[in-house]
């Protein structure tokens, strides 16, 4: 089953479990939003709205509220010393369509509860004075002495080549234009 909805001045063809990016819609991540402007409901039989279908709606879960990439609007008028540079980032909402409802039905899926942050492990010291093992990653093995590294670098570098002396320059003017004739 699919539906065509209108939001933000645009139309979207959606089906259950589709993820769509629409103009900003009010709602926090995890909430369920409903779209009442359903233009077409299709599947086995297609229902067209005039202009919308009465009692039909689409329920979607808000996944993310964000802003798109920056768009630069630069205007310049030649020879007038006039220019204008303006940037814009369009806000959007990322949605997952949960279900398509008809006949005035209410959404059955409720908003998912927000996940609680996991508590950080606490490092405690036992009574005998030695620190307890922590859950932090262990340090890497000790590094090799610097002398060995220097030897390896010396082996890899080839001997320097003798510098070539540049040829004598011909008498040409230093500027790119015409020079004095001799």
């Amino acid at each position: 089953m699919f539906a065509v909805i209108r939001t933000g001045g645009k139309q979207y063809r959606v089906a259950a479990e589709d993820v769509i990016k629409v103009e900003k819609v009010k709602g926090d991540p995890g909430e369920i939003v409903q779209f009442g402007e359903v233009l077409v409901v299709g599947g086995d039989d297609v229902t067209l709205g005039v202009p919308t279908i009465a009692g039909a709606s689409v329920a979607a879960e808000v996944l993310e509220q964000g802003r798109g990439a920056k768009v630069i609007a630069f205007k310049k008028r030649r020879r007038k010393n006039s220019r204008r540079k303006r940037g814009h980032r369009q806000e959007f909402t990322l949605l997952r369509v949960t279900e398509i409802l008809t006949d005035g039905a209410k959404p059955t899926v409720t908003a998912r509860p927000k996940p609680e942050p996991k508590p950080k492990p606490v490092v405690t010291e036992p009574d005998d004075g030695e620190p307890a093992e922590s859950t932090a990653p262990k340090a890497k093995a000790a590094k090799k002495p610097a002398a060995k590294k220097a030897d390896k670098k010396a082996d890899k570098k080839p001997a320097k080549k003798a510098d070539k002396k540049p040829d004598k320059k011909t008498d040409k003017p230093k500027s790119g234009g015409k020079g004095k004739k001799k």
Side-chain angles (χ1 to χ4, degrees):
M1 180 178 236
F2 73 91
V4 176
I5 62 171
R6 183 179 3 186
T7 178
K10 299 177 182 75
Q11 297 177 6
Y12 301 90
R13 182 189 186 276
V14 297
E17 298 302 317
D18 280 355
V19 176
I20 59 172
K21 192 179 202 179
V22 299
E23 299 270 334
K24 185 169 171 76
V25 176
K26 287 185 181 179
D28 293 326
E31 288 184 11
I32 300 293
V33 294
Q34 259 188 301
F35 298 100
E37 285 193 88
V38 179
L39 307 174
V40 177
V41 173
D44 295 334
D45 58 332
V46 178
T47 307
L48 296 173
V50 185
T52 60
I53 300 172
S57 64
V58 172
E61 177 187 2
V62 177
L63 298 178
E64 177 187 354
Q65 298 280 10
R67 295 174 76 193
K70 182 178 274 192
V71 177
I72 304 293
F74 183 76
K75 297 183 179 180
K76 179 177 175 159
R77 293 170 192 90
R78 297 185 304 158
R79 301 179 301 275
K80 306 283 191 258
N81 196 21
S82 169
R83 60 182 134 200
R84 185 177 79 194
K85 182 177 180 182
R86 185 174 285 177
H88 175 73
R89 292 182 68 188
Q90 183 66 39
E91 294 183 335
F92 70 87
T93 303
L94 197 65
L95 300 170
R96 176 181 290 124
V97 177
T98 55
E99 55 190 338
I100 298 169
L101 308 164
T102 56
D103 301 328
K106 300 285 182 189
T108 57
V109 180
T110 59
R112 295 180 187 170
K114 293 183 180 178
E116 295 180 15
K118 295 179 183 178
K120 294 182 180 179
V122 179
V123 178
T124 58
E125 293 187 18
D127 295 334
D128 59 350
E130 294 181 17
E133 290 185 24
S134 67
T135 57
K138 295 183 180 181
K140 293 183 179 179
K143 295 183 179 180
K144 295 180 181 179
K148 288 184 180 179
K149 285 185 179 180
D151 293 339
K152 287 182 181 178
K153 286 182 181 179
D155 292 340
K156 291 182 182 178
K157 289 185 180 178
K160 288 188 176 180
K161 295 179 182 178
D163 292 335
K164 293 183 179 179
K165 293 182 180 178
D167 296 333
K168 290 184 179 180
K169 294 184 180 179
T170 59
D171 294 332
K172 290 186 178 179
K174 290 186 179 179
S175 66
K178 296 180 180 178
K180 293 181 181 178
K181 291 185 180 181
K182 291 185 181 180

